[in-house]
């Protein structure tokens, strides 16, 4: 529990103490964790809402901590951002994911009609301001032999709110090369929709909160109107719409009817090892 009274109460709160100790412990363990290869990536399929085919996957990093077991990104990404380790960690995630995409492509000869599986990688705001971003990305793509248009970088809406040209420049360069930029968690920030035109994004990822509002069938008419409005605006700006957090068939169906293009969520598959993604895509390609 958070205390209103400052340090005095916090010290008296053993739970808060334990959390602070863990936080500190995790922070100091982060750099060695990267060296020791304790991070791994799970992949969650991105599914075409029209025909149900697997089109790609989002890379989601995890930490297999020797004492605490598997830790989710919410536990350590903020710490890595705080210490700057997010830059090498993010670079590692990008390289691993792009290599994985290449491996899928080699295994996945049968699905040429749909194009290669695409790979989505999250970018933290700290990586955006890091001067090496464009060059690192170019190097990784070249080393791996993957075309830029098989890669999508996801940036949260909040990271780009009020972004000036300096911040947008690297994203523009990547977009010009053919890398897709997705606006993640869209609808949770305060950006005005007109602002979208200024951003070098080609995909909107509608936040899970919208998907949750589609739990009932039929959903609340006002929620339906809002999503419908976002989708039609997005499409008029030539942006594709991906929905996240789809947990039920009813949600998938309503979002499909509303015109969303791609979906992601437990209804299709939880994040999992790369072999799993390959199996799903293969089943899909061979029917
Ligand atoms: P995100 O980018 O919004 O990723 C989607 C999150 O929703 C993931 O949580 C995913 O496991 C979860 N999810 C997927 N489908 C469902 C569903 O149907 N229902 C529900 N309730 N949840 C679902 P996860 O893996 O814990 O990741 C949390 C956040 O950590 C991500 O949110 C992203 O912001 C961040 N993250 C993950 N990997 C990386 C990374 O490599 N770099 C950076 N900078 N951030 C990362
Ligand atoms: Ca994401
Ligand atoms: Ca998201
Ligand atoms: Ca989210």
């Amino acid at each position: 529990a958070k205390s209103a009274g400052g340090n005095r109460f916090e010290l008296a709160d053993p739970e808060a103490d334990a959390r602070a100790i863990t936080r500190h412990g995790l922070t100091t363990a982060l750099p060695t964790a990267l060296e020791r290869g304790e991070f791994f990536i799970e992949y969650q399929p991105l599914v075409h809402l029209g025909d149900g085919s697997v089109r790609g996957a989002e890379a989601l990093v995890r930490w297999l901590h020797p004492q605490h077991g598997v830790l989710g990104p919410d536990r350590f990404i903020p710490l890595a951002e705080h210490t700057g380790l997010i830059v090498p960690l993010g670079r590692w995630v990008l390289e691993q994911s792009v290599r994985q995409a290449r491996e899928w492509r080699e295994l996945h000869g049968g699905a040429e009609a749909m194009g290669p599986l695409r790979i989505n990688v999250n970018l933290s705001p700290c990586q955006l301001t890091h001067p090496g971003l464009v060059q690192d990305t170019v190097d990784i793509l070249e080393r791996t032999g993957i075309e830029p248009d098989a890669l999508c970088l996801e940036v949260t809406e909040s990271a780009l709110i009020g972004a000036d040209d300096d911040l947008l420049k690297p994203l523009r360069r990547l977009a010009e090369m053919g890398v897709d930029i997705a606006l993640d968690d869209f609808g949770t920030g305060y950006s005005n929709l007109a602002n979208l035109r200024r951003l070098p994004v080609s995909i909107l990822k509608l936040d899970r909160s919208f998907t949750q509002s589609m739990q009932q069938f039929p959903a609340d008419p006002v929620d339906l109107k809002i999503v419908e409005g976002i989708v039609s605006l997005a499409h008029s700006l030539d942006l594709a719409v991906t929905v996240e957090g789809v947990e039920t068939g009813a949600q998938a169906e309503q979002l499909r009817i509303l015109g969303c293009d791609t979906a992601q969520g437990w209804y299709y598959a939880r994040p999992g090892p790369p072999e799993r993604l390959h199996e799903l895509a293969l089943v899909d390609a061979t029917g």
Side-chain angles (χ1 to χ4, degrees), residues 58 122 154 184:
E58 178 175 5
N122 291 286
E154 300 192 359
D184 204 353

Side-chain angles (χ1 to χ4, degrees), residues 142-258:
E142 275 178 0
R143 268 206 298 281
T144 323
I146 285 280
E147 312 79 44
D149 55 12
L151 174 65
C152 173
L153 296 174
E154 300 192 359
V155 184
T156 59
E157 184 191 11
S158 56
L160 293 185
I161 287 176
D164 59 14
D165 266 358
D166 283 346
L167 193 80
L168 294 179
K169 211 179 274 171
L171 286 184
R172 285 219 176 87
R173 294 228 0 237
L174 291 164
E176 280 159 18
M177 284 164 42
V179 174
D180 271 314
I181 311 293
L183 207 49
D184 204 353
D185 301 343
F186 183 79
T188 55
Y190 308 91
S191 71
N192 75 51
L193 293 171
N195 195 29
L196 279 176
R197 296 181 56 183
R198 216 167 66 77
L199 303 175
V201 300
S202 47
I203 296 165
L204 285 192
K205 283 195 89 169
L206 211 55
D207 190 68
R208 189 158 79 225
S209 49
F210 293 102
T211 310
Q212 274 164 347
S213 72
M214 303 289 136
Q215 201 76 261
Q216 313 295 332
F217 192 94
D220 180 89
V222 175
D223 290 331
L224 286 171
K225 282 278 174 227
I226 293 172
V227 174
E228 201 175 14
I230 293 175
V231 172
S232 86
L233 178 93
H235 286 166
S236 71
L237 293 171
D238 259 337
L239 305 176
V241 178
T242 299
V243 287
E244 50 181 30
V246 176
E247 294 178 359
T248 67
Q251 289 172 328
E253 183 54 12
Q254 298 198 84
L255 290 159
R256 187 188 65 76
I257 291 167
L258 288 168

